[in-house]
Amino acid sequence: MLMSDVIERIDAESVALAAALYREVMAPPPRQTVTEWAEANRRLGGTESAEPGPYRVARTPYAREPQDCMSARSPVEEVVLMWAAQTSKTTLLLNCLGAAIGTNPGPIMIVWPTNTVAKRNSRQRVAPLLSESPQLAGKVRANRSRDKANTTLLKEFEGGILVIAGANSAADLRSTPVRDLFLDEVDNFPLDVDGEGDPSKLAEARQTTFARKKRLRSSTPTTKDFSRIEAAFDGSDRCRFHVPCPHCGAFQPLEFGADKPHGLKWDKAEGGSPVPTSVRYVCAAHGCEIREHHKRTMLAAGVWVAAMPGAQAGKVRGFHLNGLYSPLGWLSWGTIASEWYAAMQAVGRGDVTLLRVFVNTRLAETFEEQGDKANEHDLRRRAPNLPLGQVQRGMFVCTMGVDVQGDRLEAYLWAWGRGLERQLVDRQVIYGDPALAESEEGSPWAALTEYRKTPILHVSGLPVPIVAAFCDSGGHHTQAVYVYARAHQHEHLYACKGSSIGGRAILGKPTDQDVSWRGQKIKRGVKLWPVGTDTAKAEIYGRLRVAEAGPGYVHLSKQLPAEVFEQLTSERLVTRYIKGRARLQWVKPAGKRNEALDCAVYALAAAHFVGIDRWREGDWAKWEKRVAVKVEATPAPADEPVKPTPPAQRRRMRKVGRLAGGVR
Ligand SMILES: [Zn+2]
C-alpha cells in the first residue's frame, strides 16, 4: 500500500467514525427493522438462492427474530447463530449488513476465517448485495469518483465504511474502531493469529468505543470443547425454534431423534437404506405422523423459545437451528435420512468422517472426538503378510516422506488409491552424516537419491511413479535439506517444515528460502512448504481406525519392523488449556520415537501437494489404466513374488515419472 493510500484510508475511517459517534449522540436510530428493510430492498440473486427474486421472510420465518435483534432499535448487542448448512444463514447476515448500510450507516467490519474466503465472499456476496438494491447502489456509487475507496476488502459508503477481513491476519483485525461487527464461520477461525491470541477477541476489542454496538456471530459448529459457536451459544439465552404439530397442535422443537421415540423416522428397504417416500416426523407429544409438506405451515407458526430467558440481561441472544427446518425444496428430510444411512455405513467400517460432517452441518451440533483408538497391537495383528516394496491392488501412485535425524535419513514410501486408501509400501533407514554433500563419500543423500530412483512395482508388474517427495527441514541440517531440495526439485522433491499450531491446513503456502552452504549463499534458492502437523496426524489416526479395506483404509504389512507400528501409534491427542482455551495437542510420550508418524505426515502433505485428496474418478481411472490394468482385470494372489524389472519397463517408468509432472 502506498503512503497516500494509507492516508486516504485512515482519512475515510476517521470520517466514518466521527459521523457515527455524532449520530450516536444526536440522532435517534431508525425505526425500520432488518426484516422490513430486507423485504423492501433486497433481491436475491442466483448465487445466493435457488429461487431468485425479492426477499420474503415467509420463506424462512425463523430468520425474522434473529435478524430483527440486529435492528438499530433493538437493545440486543449480540446475536449468536449456531445453524446447520442450507438454512439461509448467509442471507440473514447480508440482510443485517444491508440494513445497517442502508438505514444506520457507520463503521462496520465483517470477518471471515481467512483472507482468501474474505476476498471470495466480498466478490460473490457483498458486491451483489451492494449493487442489487438501488438504495445501497446509490450510497456506494456516490464515492466512485475516488476509485481507491472501493476495493475488495474496503467499501466506503455514505456515512460509513465497511472493512472485510480474514481472521488469519492480525494486522487487518486491529485498526480503527467499528460499531457493527460480523463474525462468520467462527469455528473455522484459527485459534491464534500471528501470536496475538484469539482473532475474534482482537476484532471485538475494536467495538469498545461504541455504546450502541451490534455483533453477529455465526457458524456451523465443529469439535466439542473447541467450538467457539457452542461456547457463545451456551452463554446466551439458548433459543430453539418451536413449531406446532399439524395434528395435535403441540409446540415442539424439531429434533433428529436417532435414539428417541420422536423425531425423523423411516421404513427400511432391503439392505437397510431408507425408503424416501416413508420419511416422516413423529410428534413428541402424541406420536402423530407429520409429513414434510406440513413444514410450510409449521414454520410459519413457529416461535423461538429460550431455555435461559434473560441470560446476560437479554443483551446476548442465541439461536440454534438444525437442518430439519430447512424450507421445502432446499434440504429434504429424505436427503437427511439417506445421509444418516451413509454415515452409519461408514461408521460400520470404522470411518467416522461422514458422521462428523452430518452432526456438524445437519444437526448443527458439535462432534465429540473419540480419542485415539489406533492400537499398535491391533494394527500388527490385522496386517497381512504383504511383500515390502510392492504396491497392492487399488493403489496407483506413490509419495515419499523423509525425516532427517542427526546421524541418518529415514524414508517412508506410501501408495495411494481412491478415497485416500493407502499403503505403507516400504521404508529405508539410511545411516550417514547428513552434513555431507551428495557428491561426498558416505553421504546419505546419494543413497536417498538411489533409493528414490529404484523402481517400485505394482502387483500388476508395472512401475508405480513417486509423484512427490517431501523432506523435513525443520529438525537437523536445515541447510543440507535446502541444498538437496534445490538440486532435486525438478524430480518433485521439496523441503517442508511441520507447524504444530492447531487448525493449520495439511499443506500451507510455500515461502522462498535462501540457501547457504559452506559460505555460498543463493537468494530464494528453494521453496519451503509448511505442513499442518496436528491436522495431518488427526487425519492419519482417523484413517488407522478404519477397519475394512476400501476408502480411507491403511494397508500395513507384518513384514514391517515392529518399531514402525509402535512409532505410528506413538502419539496421543490430549486436551491442554492455554490461556483458558481448550486446545487439542498431540504429545509423544518421553523417550518414544516417531519418525514413522512424521514421515507419514510428510507423505500425506506430498499427496496433498499433488492434489490426490481432490482427484476425481477420471484422474484415478487414468492412473489405474497406466499401472494396474492387468491385475485389476484378472485378480492375482496378493503375495506373488516381485519380478525383476526388464529394461523396457524401466524406460516406461521414467516416462511415467515425467508424466507425473505438471502439478501445481
Ligand atoms: Zn402431535
Side-chain angles (χ1 to χ4, degrees):
M1 207 184 247
L2 294 169
M3 200 56 202
S4 58
D5 297 345
V6 174
I7 291 165
E8 250 186 57
R9 178 173 164 173
I10 293 169
D11 181 46
E13 286 181 354
S14 40
V15 168
L17 176 63
L21 286 171
Y22 173 80
R23 268 196 309 279
E24 183 155 84
V25 182
M26 303 303 290
R31 292 192 172 278
Q32 203 175 29
T33 64
V34 169
T35 304
E36 287 163 358
W37 180 87
E39 293 211 314
N41 292 285
R42 283 212 67 197
R43 282 193 71 80
L44 305 186
T47 52
E48 195 179 336
S49 167
E51 305 144 24
Y55 174 78
R56 291 288 168 256
V57 74
R59 194 78 180 99
T60 54
Y62 48 75
R64 183 189 291 273
E65 188 172 343
Q67 69 190 9
D68 283 353
C69 288
M70 291 293 288
S71 306
R73 286 271 170 142
S74 162
V76 174
E77 268 181 17
E78 176 169 328
V79 171
V80 177
L81 303 181
M82 182 164 162
W83 282 21
Q86 295 191 44
T87 48
S88 78
K89 183 163 62 67
T90 307
T91 299
L92 192 159
L93 182 152
L94 294 173
N95 289 348
C96 298
L97 174 64
I101 296 173
T103 67
N104 191 28
I108 302 171
M109 179 158 79
I110 306 188
V111 186
W112 273 296
T114 64
N115 268 321
T116 317
V117 176
K119 280 181 189 156
R120 191 178 61 222
N121 282 340
S122 172
R123 283 191 296 268
Q124 296 180 355
R125 308 287 197 179
V126 178
L129 168 76
L130 298 180
S131 59
E132 84 201 352
S133 134
Q135 186 202 26
L136 299 188
K139 286 181 188 291
V140 180
R141 202 176 301 125
N143 280 313
R144 281 281 160 81
S145 54
R146 293 163 63 200
D147 240 1
K148 286 171 207 124
N150 284 295
T151 63
T152 316
L153 297 179
L154 183 77
K155 311 271 183 199
E156 262 184 64
F157 50 87
E158 215 175 282
I161 188 167
L162 171 63
V163 179
I164 301 170
N168 57 349
S169 163
D172 291 352
L173 296 177
R174 56 179 151 59
S175 173
T176 58
V178 293
R179 186 197 64 202
D180 296 355
L181 178 61
F182 296 84
L183 303 166
D184 194 26
E185 291 305 342
V186 292
D187 274 18
N188 293 333
F189 284 19
L191 285 176
D192 179 283
V193 54
D194 300 342
E196 296 190 32
D198 185 342
S200 48
K201 290 269 180 328
L202 281 184
E204 284 163 40
R206 298 178 48 155
Q207 286 190 289
T208 45
T209 321
F210 289 93
R212 277 190 215 146
K213 55 179 166 263
K214 289 279 179 192
R215 186 155 59 229
L216 181 71
R217 196 190 301 269
S218 55
S219 195
T220 45
T222 53
T223 309
K224 189 161 184 61
D225 297 332
F226 296 88
S227 167
R228 284 193 170 87
I229 201 70
E230 187 174 57
F233 180 77
D234 286 350
S236 74
D237 63 345
R238 303 188 203 171
C239 294
R240 285 176 203 267
F241 202 57
H242 290 226
V243 292
C245 169
H247 306 296
C248 70
F251 272 81
Q252 56 197 294
L254 296 182
E255 295 182 307
F256 182 64
D259 48 0
K260 293 180 180 138
H262 69 273
L264 213 57
K265 308 292 165 193
W266 55 85
D267 302 335
K268 287 174 183 169
E270 215 173 305
S273 63
V275 178
T277 50
S278 73
V279 181
R280 70 247 175 213
Y281 192 90
V282 175
C283 159
H286 297 100
C288 321
E289 296 215 334
I290 305 169
R291 292 288 165 169
E292 190 159 23
H293 63 83
H294 290 296
K295 201 148 74 172
R296 194 191 303 272
T297 50
M298 289 163 75
L299 290 181
V303 283
W304 285 101
V305 177
M308 309 288 284
Q312 302 216 35
K315 295 269 182 214
V316 181
R317 302 285 314 275
F319 301 91
H320 182 274
L321 198 77
N322 63 42
L324 269 67
Y325 293 94
S326 183
L328 276 184
W330 291 11
L331 171 70
S332 75
W333 287 352
T335 303
I336 294 177
S338 50
E339 286 182 357
W340 170 257
Y341 172 71
M344 286 297 108
Q345 294 289 102
V347 168
R349 297 193 301 268
D351 182 358
V352 295
T353 328
L354 283 182
L355 181 62
R356 162 192 276 282
V357 172
F358 184 87
V359 168
N360 289 160
T361 67
R362 297 310 184 212
L363 306 186
E365 285 168 11
T366 52
F367 188 77
E368 197 160 0
E369 282 294 336
Q370 297 185 325
D372 149 40
K373 287 218 188 91
N375 178 302
E376 172 195 345
H377 304 290
D378 290 350
L379 287 177
R380 273 192 81 185
R381 205 174 313 123
R382 84 176 191 199
N385 203 13
L386 299 173
L388 294 183
Q390 186 190 56
V391 176
Q392 296 303 309
R393 221 170 283 136
M395 280 143 296
F396 316 111
V397 291
C398 285
T399 64
M400 185 181 280
V402 182
D403 192 49
V404 181
Q405 295 291 324
D407 62 343
R408 67 184 186 280
L409 308 176
E410 295 204 6
Y412 283 72
L413 190 63
W414 287 83
W416 303 89
R418 294 180 176 85
L420 292 182
E421 183 173 2
R422 67 197 71 171
Q423 179 200 351
L424 177 50
V425 178
D426 194 25
R427 76 138 190 183
Q428 198 76 19
V429 179
I430 304 165
Y431 284 95
D433 181 0
L436 292 173
E438 197 178 351
S439 55
E440 288 176 278
E441 184 72 27
S443 164
W445 298 110
L448 176 65
T449 303
E450 199 186 313
Y451 179 55
R452 287 195 299 109
K453 295 194 170 165
T454 309
I456 312 143
L457 294 186
H458 192 266
V459 279
S460 68
L462 293 172
V464 180
I466 299 176
V467 289
F470 268 34
C471 183
D472 175 39
S473 70
H476 308 261
H477 303 295
T478 302
Q479 287 303 323
V481 174
Y482 290 169
V483 169
Y484 186 75
R486 187 164 178 275
H488 294 276
Q489 53 196 1
H490 64 284
E491 297 156 359
H492 309 295
L493 182 134
Y494 301 95
C496 69
K497 186 175 181 222
S499 154
S500 61
I501 297 171
R504 290 281 162 94
I506 288 175
L507 188 68
K509 283 221 171 75
T511 49
D512 287 317
Q513 301 295 316
D514 297 344
V515 174
S516 62
W517 180 254
R518 296 187 183 165
Q520 282 186 315
K521 189 155 189 171
I522 304 157
K523 283 227 173 267
R524 294 194 289 185
V526 69
K527 283 201 189 307
L528 175 63
W529 291 86
V531 175
T533 313
D534 282 21
T535 313
K537 285 178 183 169
E539 199 268 4
I540 291 163
Y541 273 54
R543 303 298 184 180
L544 285 173
R545 285 201 288 266
V546 176
E548 265 176 48
Y553 188 77
V554 180
H555 297 262
L556 300 167
S557 164
K558 274 204 174 51
Q559 295 192 13
L560 289 162
E563 61 176 6
V564 171
F565 291 90
E566 193 187 323
Q567 290 176 20
L568 272 179
T569 55
S570 63
E571 303 208 1
R572 295 285 174 273
L573 194 57
V574 297
T575 306
R576 289 261 168 92
Y577 289 85
I578 296 167
K579 290 179 193 160
R581 268 190 72 83
R583 206 162 182 170
L584 285 169
Q585 258 190 358
W586 291 94
V587 289
K588 182 177 61 154
K592 287 229 181 187
R593 285 172 46 193
N594 67 349
E595 289 85 352
L597 181 60
D598 284 343
C599 289
V601 165
Y602 307 142
L604 175 64
H608 276 246
F609 169 82
V610 184
I612 291 176
D613 54 314
R614 301 184 302 276
W615 279 5
R616 294 167 186 213
E617 179 49 35
D619 301 306
W620 286 114
K622 187 182 74 185
W623 285 105
E624 182 171 22
K625 213 168 144 191
R626 218 168 270 175
V627 307
V629 183
K630 287 187 224 161
V631 73
E632 303 301 328
T634 48
D639 47 3
E640 74 183 17
V642 183
K643 294 179 213 108
T645 313
Q649 275 189 14
R650 282 176 195 270
R651 276 200 302 278
R652 187 156 51 201
M653 192 205 70
R654 278 199 295 275
K655 193 173 159 215
V656 171
R658 275 201 302 280
L659 287 168
V663 287
R664 293 236 170 164

